[in-house]
Amino acid sequence: MKVVIVGAGIGGLTAALSLQRVGIRDVTCLEAAAEIRPLGVGINLLPHAVRELSELGLLDELDALAVRTADLTYVNEFGQTIWSEPRGIDAGYHWPQFSIHRGEFQMMLTRVVRDRLGEDAIVTDSRVSNVETKGNTVCVTTNTDIYTADIVIAADGIHSAVRAMWHPHEGAPIWNGAVLWRGTSRVKPFLSGRSMFMAGHRQTKFVAYPLKRIDADGLQLVNWIAEHVDPTLNDVQTNWNRSVEIDRFLPLFDSWKFDWLEVPTLIKAAEKVFEYPMSDRNPLDSWIRGRVVLLGDAAHPTYPIGSNGSSQAIIDARVLAHALATRPIDEALLWYQSERLPKTRAIQLANREMGPEIVMQLAHERAPQGFESIEDVIPLAERTEIAARYKSIAGFDPAILNSRPSWDASYSDLG
Ligand SMILES: Cc1cc2nc3c(=O)[nH]c(=O)nc-3n(C[C@H](O)[C@H](O)[C@H](O)COP(=O)(O)OP(=O)(O)OC[C@H]3O[C@@H](n4cnc5c(N)ncnc54)[C@H](O)[C@@H]3O)c2cc1C
Protein backbone atom coordinates (compact mmCIF):
# COMPACT_ATOMS: atom_id res chain seq x y z
CA MET A 1 0.00 0.00 0.00
CA LYS A 2 1.38 3.41 -0.99
CA VAL A 3 0.51 6.25 1.42
CA VAL A 4 1.19 9.94 0.92
CA ILE A 5 0.95 12.19 3.99
CA VAL A 6 0.43 15.92 3.50
CA GLY A 7 2.35 17.78 6.24
CA ALA A 8 5.29 16.75 8.42
CA GLY A 9 3.93 18.24 11.65
CA ILE A 10 3.41 16.18 14.77
CA GLY A 11 0.32 14.51 13.27
CA GLY A 12 1.90 13.67 9.90
CA LEU A 13 5.17 12.38 11.37
CA THR A 14 3.40 10.24 13.96
CA ALA A 15 1.19 8.86 11.19
CA ALA A 16 4.34 7.86 9.26
CA LEU A 17 5.78 6.09 12.34
CA SER A 18 2.45 4.42 13.09
CA LEU A 19 2.19 3.07 9.54
CA GLN A 20 5.76 1.77 9.71
CA ARG A 21 4.98 0.11 13.04
CA VAL A 22 2.10 -1.93 11.56
CA GLY A 23 4.20 -2.86 8.52
CA ILE A 24 3.14 -0.25 5.92
CA ARG A 25 6.49 1.07 4.71
CA ASP A 26 5.77 2.78 1.40
CA VAL A 27 5.11 6.16 2.95
CA THR A 28 6.01 9.67 1.76
CA CYS A 29 5.48 12.83 3.84
CA LEU A 30 5.20 16.01 1.78
CA GLU A 31 6.07 19.14 3.77
CA ALA A 32 5.58 22.69 2.51
CA ALA A 33 8.40 24.20 4.57
CA ALA A 34 11.84 24.32 2.91
CA GLU A 35 13.32 22.75 6.04
CA ILE A 36 11.84 21.41 9.27
CA ARG A 37 12.87 23.81 12.03
CA PRO A 38 12.19 23.68 15.78
CA LEU A 39 9.28 26.17 15.80
CA GLY A 40 6.89 26.86 18.65
CA VAL A 41 7.36 26.67 22.38
CA GLY A 42 6.02 24.21 24.94
CA ILE A 43 3.27 21.66 24.66
CA ASN A 44 2.06 18.90 26.95
CA LEU A 45 1.74 15.30 25.87
CA LEU A 46 -0.89 13.58 27.99
CA PRO A 47 -0.65 9.92 29.09
CA HIS A 48 -3.03 8.70 26.38
CA ALA A 49 -0.69 10.10 23.71
CA VAL A 50 2.44 9.04 25.59
CA ARG A 51 1.09 5.49 25.61
CA GLU A 52 1.01 5.61 21.79
CA LEU A 53 4.49 7.16 21.56
CA SER A 54 5.79 4.62 24.01
CA GLU A 55 4.36 1.77 21.89
CA LEU A 56 6.16 3.38 18.94
CA GLY A 57 9.40 2.96 20.94
CA LEU A 58 9.93 6.65 21.74
CA LEU A 59 9.78 6.74 25.54
CA ASP A 60 13.55 7.08 26.06
CA GLU A 61 13.74 9.82 23.41
CA LEU A 62 10.97 11.72 25.21
CA ASP A 63 12.62 11.31 28.60
CA ALA A 64 15.82 12.75 27.20
CA LEU A 65 14.03 15.86 25.91
CA ALA A 66 11.20 16.55 28.30
CA VAL A 67 10.03 16.94 31.89
CA ARG A 68 7.70 14.36 33.43
CA THR A 69 4.88 16.62 34.65
CA ALA A 70 4.02 15.63 38.24
CA ASP A 71 1.04 17.82 39.14
CA LEU A 72 -1.41 20.43 37.85
CA THR A 73 -2.77 23.25 40.02
CA TYR A 74 -5.46 25.82 39.24
CA VAL A 75 -5.28 29.05 41.25
CA ASN A 76 -7.18 32.34 41.19
CA GLU A 77 -5.49 35.65 40.34
CA PHE A 78 -4.47 35.98 44.02
CA GLY A 79 -2.67 32.63 43.96
CA GLN A 80 -5.25 30.77 46.07
CA THR A 81 -5.58 27.10 45.15
CA ILE A 82 -8.84 26.07 43.51
CA TRP A 83 -7.85 22.54 42.48
CA SER A 84 -4.68 20.48 42.43
CA GLU A 85 -4.15 16.97 41.11
CA PRO A 86 -1.24 14.63 40.42
CA ARG A 87 -0.44 13.97 36.77
CA GLY A 88 1.08 11.16 34.73
CA ILE A 89 2.69 8.30 36.66
CA ASP A 90 2.03 10.19 39.92
CA ALA A 91 -1.70 10.01 39.11
CA GLY A 92 -1.66 6.23 38.63
CA TYR A 93 -1.32 6.13 34.83
CA HIS A 94 0.99 3.52 33.37
CA TRP A 95 2.50 6.30 31.22
CA PRO A 96 3.91 9.72 32.13
CA GLN A 97 2.72 13.15 31.03
CA PHE A 98 5.47 15.17 29.35
CA SER A 99 6.04 18.91 29.08
CA ILE A 100 8.17 19.29 25.99
CA HIS A 101 9.45 21.89 23.54
CA ARG A 102 7.15 21.47 20.55
CA GLY A 103 9.90 22.14 18.01
CA GLU A 104 12.39 19.74 19.62
CA PHE A 105 9.69 17.06 19.67
CA GLN A 106 8.98 17.61 15.97
CA MET A 107 12.71 17.46 15.17
CA MET A 108 13.05 14.19 17.09
CA LEU A 109 10.08 12.69 15.20
CA THR A 110 11.65 13.84 11.91
CA ARG A 111 14.91 12.11 12.74
CA VAL A 112 13.19 8.87 13.75
CA VAL A 113 10.99 8.84 10.60
CA ARG A 114 14.13 9.21 8.47
CA ASP A 115 15.94 6.47 10.45
CA ARG A 116 13.07 4.00 10.15
CA LEU A 117 11.61 4.82 6.73
CA GLY A 118 14.59 6.29 4.90
CA GLU A 119 15.84 9.81 4.11
CA ASP A 120 13.38 10.10 1.20
CA ALA A 121 10.35 9.49 3.41
CA ILE A 122 10.09 13.25 4.05
CA VAL A 123 10.16 15.60 1.09
CA THR A 124 10.49 19.25 2.12
CA ASP A 125 9.74 22.32 0.00
CA SER A 126 6.79 20.38 -1.29
CA ARG A 127 3.54 22.34 -0.97
CA VAL A 128 0.46 20.34 -1.91
CA SER A 129 -1.96 22.30 -4.10
CA ASN A 130 -4.34 19.59 -5.31
CA VAL A 131 -5.50 16.13 -4.26
CA GLU A 132 -7.87 14.11 -6.40
CA THR A 133 -9.16 10.53 -6.16
CA LYS A 134 -9.48 8.76 -9.54
CA GLY A 135 -10.90 5.28 -9.04
CA ASN A 136 -8.74 3.62 -6.42
CA THR A 137 -5.78 5.98 -6.87
CA VAL A 138 -5.15 9.43 -5.47
CA CYS A 139 -3.21 11.99 -7.46
CA VAL A 140 -1.32 14.62 -5.41
CA THR A 141 0.05 17.77 -7.01
CA THR A 142 2.78 19.85 -5.35
CA ASN A 143 4.82 22.87 -6.45
CA THR A 144 7.51 20.52 -7.77
CA ASP A 145 6.01 17.12 -8.55
CA ILE A 146 3.00 14.82 -8.96
CA TYR A 147 2.58 11.75 -6.73
CA THR A 148 0.13 8.85 -6.83
CA ALA A 149 -0.98 6.84 -3.81
CA ASP A 150 -3.56 4.34 -2.60
CA ILE A 151 -4.47 6.69 0.18
CA VAL A 152 -3.62 10.26 1.18
CA ILE A 153 -3.59 11.45 4.78
CA ALA A 154 -4.06 15.22 5.00
CA ALA A 155 -2.23 16.29 8.17
CA ASP A 156 -1.66 19.86 7.02
CA GLY A 157 -2.80 21.66 10.14
CA ILE A 158 -5.37 24.32 11.06
CA HIS A 159 -4.80 26.13 7.73
CA SER A 160 -5.20 22.84 5.80
CA ALA A 161 -5.14 23.24 2.02
CA VAL A 162 -6.94 19.92 1.56
CA ARG A 163 -9.76 20.92 3.91
CA ALA A 164 -10.01 24.29 2.11
CA MET A 165 -10.34 22.43 -1.22
CA TRP A 166 -13.32 20.55 0.16
CA HIS A 167 -14.82 23.55 1.99
CA PRO A 168 -13.89 26.60 -0.09
CA HIS A 169 -16.25 28.88 1.85
CA GLU A 170 -15.05 27.94 5.32
CA GLY A 171 -12.52 30.80 5.45
CA ALA A 172 -10.03 31.54 8.23
CA PRO A 173 -10.06 29.83 11.64
CA ILE A 174 -12.65 31.23 14.06
CA TRP A 175 -11.13 33.65 16.59
CA ASN A 176 -12.83 33.93 20.00
CA GLY A 177 -11.39 37.35 20.89
CA ALA A 178 -8.65 36.02 23.18
CA VAL A 179 -4.97 36.63 22.48
CA LEU A 180 -2.21 34.29 23.68
CA TRP A 181 1.32 35.52 24.37
CA ARG A 182 3.79 32.66 24.63
CA GLY A 183 7.37 32.61 25.79
CA THR A 184 10.04 30.73 27.71
CA SER A 185 12.10 32.07 30.64
CA ARG A 186 14.93 30.65 32.74
CA VAL A 187 13.87 31.13 36.37
CA LYS A 188 14.04 29.47 39.78
CA PRO A 189 11.87 26.33 39.96
CA PHE A 190 8.37 26.75 41.42
CA LEU A 191 6.19 24.31 43.42
CA SER A 192 7.48 20.75 42.82
CA GLY A 193 9.85 21.75 39.99
CA ARG A 194 7.69 19.53 37.74
CA SER A 195 4.43 21.43 38.29
CA MET A 196 2.06 22.96 35.78
CA PHE A 197 -0.18 25.76 37.01
CA MET A 198 -2.98 27.85 35.57
CA ALA A 199 -4.06 31.10 37.19
CA GLY A 200 -6.95 33.51 36.65
CA HIS A 201 -10.23 33.15 34.77
CA ARG A 202 -11.81 33.40 31.33
CA GLN A 203 -10.91 37.09 30.81
CA THR A 204 -7.26 36.95 31.90
CA LYS A 205 -5.27 33.80 32.43
CA PHE A 206 -1.67 32.69 32.95
CA VAL A 207 -0.25 29.18 32.48
CA ALA A 208 3.30 27.95 33.15
CA TYR A 209 5.24 24.70 33.33
CA PRO A 210 8.93 23.71 33.20
CA LEU A 211 10.24 22.31 29.92
CA LYS A 212 13.67 21.17 31.14
CA ARG A 213 15.25 19.78 34.26
CA ILE A 214 16.89 22.18 36.73
CA ASP A 215 20.27 23.42 35.43
CA ALA A 216 23.51 23.46 37.44
CA ASP A 217 22.95 27.17 38.22
CA GLY A 218 19.63 26.31 39.89
CA LEU A 219 17.50 27.81 37.11
CA GLN A 220 15.00 25.99 34.94
CA LEU A 221 13.52 26.69 31.50
CA VAL A 222 9.82 27.44 31.98
CA ASN A 223 7.22 27.73 29.25
CA TRP A 224 4.44 30.22 29.87
CA ILE A 225 1.33 31.52 28.18
CA ALA A 226 -0.40 34.78 29.11
CA GLU A 227 -3.92 35.12 27.79
CA HIS A 228 -6.41 37.98 27.67
CA VAL A 229 -9.74 38.51 25.93
CA ASP A 230 -9.55 41.74 23.93
CA PRO A 231 -11.47 41.78 20.63
CA THR A 232 -9.87 45.15 19.72
CA LEU A 233 -6.51 43.39 19.17
CA ASN A 234 -7.93 41.92 15.98
CA ASP A 235 -4.73 42.32 13.94
CA VAL A 236 -3.63 39.12 15.73
CA GLN A 237 -5.77 37.12 13.30
CA THR A 238 -3.52 37.85 10.33
CA ASN A 239 -0.23 37.76 12.27
CA TRP A 240 0.01 34.27 13.78
CA ASN A 241 3.18 33.70 15.78
CA ARG A 242 4.64 37.19 15.39
CA SER A 243 7.19 38.37 17.94
CA VAL A 244 5.92 41.22 20.20
CA GLU A 245 7.11 43.36 23.13
CA ILE A 246 6.01 42.37 26.66
CA ASP A 247 4.61 45.88 27.29
CA ARG A 248 1.63 44.82 25.20
CA PHE A 249 0.34 42.65 28.07
CA LEU A 250 2.64 42.90 31.12
CA PRO A 251 0.44 45.52 32.95
CA LEU A 252 -2.43 42.99 33.00
CA PHE A 253 -0.36 40.84 35.37
CA ASP A 254 1.27 43.55 37.54
CA SER A 255 -0.40 42.37 40.75
CA TRP A 256 -0.09 38.61 40.10
CA LYS A 257 2.60 37.96 42.72
CA PHE A 258 2.15 34.67 44.56
CA ASP A 259 4.17 33.30 47.52
CA TRP A 260 5.77 30.71 45.24
CA LEU A 261 6.09 32.68 41.97
CA GLU A 262 5.87 36.24 40.70
CA VAL A 263 4.22 36.25 37.28
CA PRO A 264 5.70 39.65 36.20
CA THR A 265 9.21 38.36 37.02
CA LEU A 266 8.63 35.29 34.87
CA ILE A 267 7.36 37.38 31.94
CA LYS A 268 10.27 39.86 32.19
CA ALA A 269 12.81 37.02 32.00
CA ALA A 270 11.62 35.95 28.52
CA GLU A 271 13.93 36.31 25.56
CA LYS A 272 11.17 36.44 22.97
CA VAL A 273 7.39 36.48 23.10
CA PHE A 274 5.09 35.26 20.35
CA GLU A 275 1.50 36.33 19.83
CA TYR A 276 -1.20 33.95 18.71
CA PRO A 277 -5.01 34.11 18.35
CA MET A 278 -7.17 31.65 20.30
CA SER A 279 -8.77 29.99 17.29
CA ASP A 280 -10.50 26.82 16.25
CA ARG A 281 -12.87 25.63 13.54
CA ASN A 282 -16.33 24.12 13.63
CA PRO A 283 -16.45 20.31 13.79
CA LEU A 284 -16.94 18.61 10.39
CA ASP A 285 -19.44 15.84 9.62
CA SER A 286 -16.96 13.94 7.45
CA TRP A 287 -13.17 13.65 7.18
CA ILE A 288 -13.15 11.51 4.03
CA ARG A 289 -13.34 12.26 0.29
CA GLY A 290 -12.62 9.23 -1.87
CA ARG A 291 -9.34 7.89 -0.54
CA VAL A 292 -8.25 11.09 1.13
CA VAL A 293 -8.67 11.47 4.88
CA LEU A 294 -8.04 14.30 7.35
CA LEU A 295 -5.98 13.89 10.53
CA GLY A 296 -4.92 16.14 13.45
CA ASP A 297 -5.57 19.88 13.29
CA ALA A 298 -6.73 19.62 9.67
CA ALA A 299 -9.63 17.49 10.93
CA HIS A 300 -10.37 18.97 14.37
CA PRO A 301 -8.50 22.16 15.32
CA THR A 302 -9.34 23.04 18.89
CA TYR A 303 -8.51 25.77 21.40
CA PRO A 304 -5.26 25.00 23.26
CA ILE A 305 -7.18 24.08 26.40
CA GLY A 306 -6.74 20.88 28.34
CA SER A 307 -3.34 20.31 26.65
CA ASN A 308 -4.88 18.21 23.90
CA GLY A 309 -3.92 19.45 20.39
CA SER A 310 -0.88 17.30 19.76
CA SER A 311 -2.16 14.40 21.88
CA GLN A 312 -5.28 14.01 19.76
CA ALA A 313 -3.28 14.12 16.51
CA ILE A 314 -1.04 11.33 17.84
CA ILE A 315 -4.04 9.18 18.76
CA ASP A 316 -5.59 9.79 15.31
CA ALA A 317 -2.36 8.52 13.74
CA ARG A 318 -2.29 5.29 15.72
CA VAL A 319 -6.00 4.57 15.22
CA LEU A 320 -5.74 5.17 11.46
CA ALA A 321 -2.71 2.87 11.15
CA HIS A 322 -4.56 0.20 13.14
CA ALA A 323 -7.57 0.55 10.83
CA LEU A 324 -5.47 0.30 7.65
CA ALA A 325 -3.66 -2.76 9.02
CA THR A 326 -6.83 -4.63 9.88
CA ARG A 327 -9.47 -3.65 7.27
CA PRO A 328 -9.80 -3.06 3.52
CA ILE A 329 -8.97 0.60 2.70
CA ASP A 330 -12.45 2.11 2.28
CA GLU A 331 -13.78 0.29 5.32
CA ALA A 332 -10.68 1.31 7.30
CA LEU A 333 -11.17 5.00 6.56
CA LEU A 334 -14.81 4.86 7.65
CA TRP A 335 -13.91 2.94 10.80
CA TYR A 336 -11.18 5.46 11.71
CA GLN A 337 -13.65 8.29 11.20
CA SER A 338 -16.33 6.62 13.32
CA GLU A 339 -13.81 5.98 16.08
CA ARG A 340 -12.22 9.44 16.13
CA LEU A 341 -14.65 12.06 14.79
CA PRO A 342 -17.26 11.95 17.59
CA LYS A 343 -14.53 11.99 20.27
CA THR A 344 -12.63 14.94 18.85
CA ARG A 345 -15.88 16.81 18.16
CA ALA A 346 -16.76 16.46 21.87
CA ILE A 347 -13.32 17.87 22.79
CA GLN A 348 -13.67 20.80 20.39
CA LEU A 349 -17.03 21.68 21.94
CA ALA A 350 -15.88 21.11 25.54
CA ASN A 351 -12.86 23.36 24.97
CA ARG A 352 -15.16 26.18 23.83
CA GLU A 353 -16.66 25.99 27.34
CA MET A 354 -13.15 26.12 28.92
CA GLY A 355 -12.88 22.33 29.41
CA PRO A 356 -11.52 21.52 32.89
CA GLU A 357 -10.46 25.16 33.34
CA ILE A 358 -14.09 26.08 34.00
CA VAL A 359 -13.30 25.67 37.74
CA MET A 360 -11.23 28.84 37.48
CA GLN A 361 -14.13 30.78 35.98
CA LEU A 362 -16.57 29.42 38.59
CA ALA A 363 -14.22 30.49 41.40
CA HIS A 364 -13.94 33.95 39.84
CA GLU A 365 -17.71 34.38 39.41
CA ARG A 366 -18.57 33.08 42.89
CA ALA A 367 -15.67 34.74 44.78
CA PRO A 368 -14.20 37.58 42.68
CA GLN A 369 -12.22 38.95 45.65
CA GLY A 370 -10.84 35.54 46.68
CA PHE A 371 -11.98 33.12 49.37
CA GLU A 372 -11.26 31.81 52.86
CA SER A 373 -11.98 28.23 51.88
CA ILE A 374 -12.49 26.93 48.33
CA GLU A 375 -14.90 24.39 49.80
CA ASP A 376 -17.39 27.24 50.47
CA VAL A 377 -17.10 28.37 46.84
CA ILE A 378 -16.91 25.13 44.82
CA PRO A 379 -17.47 22.00 46.90
CA LEU A 380 -15.00 19.15 46.41
CA ALA A 381 -17.61 16.94 44.73
CA GLU A 382 -18.20 19.58 42.03
CA ARG A 383 -14.46 20.13 41.41
CA THR A 384 -13.84 16.38 41.28
CA GLU A 385 -16.67 15.89 38.80
CA ILE A 386 -15.37 18.66 36.48
CA ALA A 387 -11.86 17.14 36.40
CA ALA A 388 -13.14 13.59 35.87
CA ARG A 389 -15.65 14.59 33.17
CA TYR A 390 -12.99 16.22 31.00
CA LYS A 391 -10.65 13.23 31.32
CA SER A 392 -13.45 11.00 30.19
CA ILE A 393 -14.34 13.25 27.20
CA ALA A 394 -10.70 13.60 26.13
CA GLY A 395 -9.89 9.88 26.54
CA PHE A 396 -7.54 9.91 29.51
CA ASP A 397 -9.63 8.45 32.29
CA PRO A 398 -6.86 6.51 34.08
CA ALA A 399 -8.73 3.25 34.67
CA ILE A 400 -9.98 3.05 31.06
CA LEU A 401 -6.65 4.06 29.53
CA ASN A 402 -4.62 1.64 31.65
CA SER A 403 -6.83 -1.31 30.77
CA ARG A 404 -7.78 -0.84 27.11
CA PRO A 405 -6.07 -3.00 24.44
CA SER A 406 -3.21 -1.55 22.39
CA TRP A 407 -3.72 -0.17 18.85
CA ASP A 408 -0.75 -2.27 17.71
CA ALA A 409 -1.56 -4.47 14.68
CA SER A 410 0.10 -6.20 11.75
CA TYR A 411 -0.67 -5.24 8.18
CA SER A 412 -1.67 -7.79 5.61
CA ASP A 413 -2.85 -6.60 2.21
CA LEU A 414 -6.67 -6.72 2.31
CA GLY A 415 -7.11 -4.62 -0.84
C1 LIG B 1 4.55 26.78 15.03
C2 LIG B 1 3.49 26.05 15.81
C3 LIG B 1 3.43 26.22 17.20
C4 LIG B 1 2.46 25.55 17.95
N1 LIG B 1 2.43 25.71 19.30
C5 LIG B 1 1.55 25.03 20.05
C6 LIG B 1 1.52 25.14 21.47
O1 LIG B 1 2.29 25.90 22.05
N2 LIG B 1 0.62 24.40 22.18
C7 LIG B 1 -0.24 23.53 21.55
O2 LIG B 1 -1.03 22.83 22.21
N3 LIG B 1 -0.26 23.43 20.22
C8 LIG B 1 0.62 24.15 19.47
N4 LIG B 1 0.60 24.01 18.13
C9 LIG B 1 -0.38 23.13 17.54
C10 LIG B 1 -0.01 21.71 17.75
O3 LIG B 1 1.33 21.53 17.42
C11 LIG B 1 -0.99 20.94 16.91
O4 LIG B 1 -2.28 21.01 17.52
C12 LIG B 1 -0.73 19.50 16.85
O5 LIG B 1 0.59 19.18 16.92
C13 LIG B 1 -1.41 18.90 15.63
O6 LIG B 1 -0.47 18.83 14.65
P1 LIG B 1 -0.76 18.68 13.13
O7 LIG B 1 0.37 17.85 12.62
O8 LIG B 1 -2.14 18.23 12.88
O9 LIG B 1 -0.66 20.15 12.56
P2 LIG B 1 0.60 21.11 12.50
O10 LIG B 1 1.47 20.93 13.67
O11 LIG B 1 0.08 22.47 12.21
O12 LIG B 1 1.41 20.58 11.22
C14 LIG B 1 0.95 20.76 9.90
C15 LIG B 1 2.13 20.64 8.96
O13 LIG B 1 1.64 20.66 7.61
C16 LIG B 1 2.46 21.54 6.85
N5 LIG B 1 1.64 22.02 5.72
C17 LIG B 1 0.66 22.94 5.77
N6 LIG B 1 0.10 23.10 4.55
C18 LIG B 1 0.75 22.25 3.70
C19 LIG B 1 0.62 21.95 2.31
N7 LIG B 1 -0.29 22.55 1.53
N8 LIG B 1 1.46 21.03 1.77
C20 LIG B 1 2.39 20.39 2.55
N9 LIG B 1 2.54 20.66 3.87
C21 LIG B 1 1.73 21.56 4.45
C22 LIG B 1 2.89 22.60 7.82
O14 LIG B 1 4.06 23.29 7.38
C23 LIG B 1 3.12 21.79 9.09
O15 LIG B 1 4.43 21.27 9.16
C24 LIG B 1 1.52 24.69 17.32
C25 LIG B 1 1.58 24.51 15.93
C26 LIG B 1 2.55 25.18 15.18
C27 LIG B 1 2.62 24.95 13.67
Side-chain angles (χ1 to χ4, degrees), residues 116-160:
R116 294 183 187 176
L117 283 160
E119 282 295 316
D120 300 342
I122 303 172
V123 186
T124 51
D125 200 7
S126 203
R127 179 171 291 281
V128 171
S129 55
N130 195 40
V131 174
E132 206 179 340
T133 306
K134 293 176 181 161
N136 284 342
T137 303
V138 194
C139 194
V140 183
T141 310
T142 73
N143 49 324
T144 54
D145 226 327
I146 293 176
Y147 297 79
T148 53
D150 297 306
I151 90 153
V152 169
I153 301 171
D156 49 348
I158 191 168
H159 303 289
S160 167

Side-chain angles (χ1 to χ4, degrees), residues 179-181 236 239-242 244 248 273-277:
V179 181
L180 307 171
W181 293 280
V236 68
N239 287 299
W240 287 54
N241 262 321
R242 74 170 161 183
V244 295
R248 204 161 149 88
V273 175
F274 298 95
E275 193 175 80
Y276 191 78

Side-chain angles (χ1 to χ4, degrees), residues 6-12 30-32 39-40 42-43 102 126-128 155-157 161 182 241 296-297 309-310 313:
V6 185
I10 290 166
L30 304 174
E31 168 56 49
L39 294 178
I43 53 169
R102 181 194 172 282
S126 203
R127 179 171 291 281
V128 171
D156 49 348
R182 309 181 311 171
N241 262 321
D297 278 8
S310 305

Side-chain angles (χ1 to χ4, degrees), residues 6 128-131 152-174 280-289 292-302 316 341 344-345 348 352:
V6 185
V128 171
S129 55
N130 195 40
V131 174
V152 169
I153 301 171
D156 49 348
I158 191 168
H159 303 289
S160 167
V162 175
R163 179 170 170 144
M165 256 173 253
W166 298 354
H167 302 279
H169 303 298
E170 191 180 27
I174 305 164
D280 70 355
R281 291 186 181 278
N282 288 325
L284 294 175
D285 292 330
S286 169
W287 294 350
I288 305 168
R289 292 279 164 99
V292 184
V293 66
L294 303 178
L295 178 147
D297 278 8
H300 48 75
T302 168
D316 285 353
L341 191 150
T344 53
R345 174 200 292 264
Q348 286 177 287
R352 286 181 175 176

Side-chain angles (χ1 to χ4, degrees), residues 184-204:
T184 53
S185 304
R186 284 187 75 245
V187 290
K188 283 194 202 136
F190 59 84
L191 299 176
S192 71
R194 293 195 287 130
S195 301
M196 175 173 192
F197 82 89
M198 304 198 185
H201 44 80
R202 194 192 295 270
Q203 184 69 20
T204 311

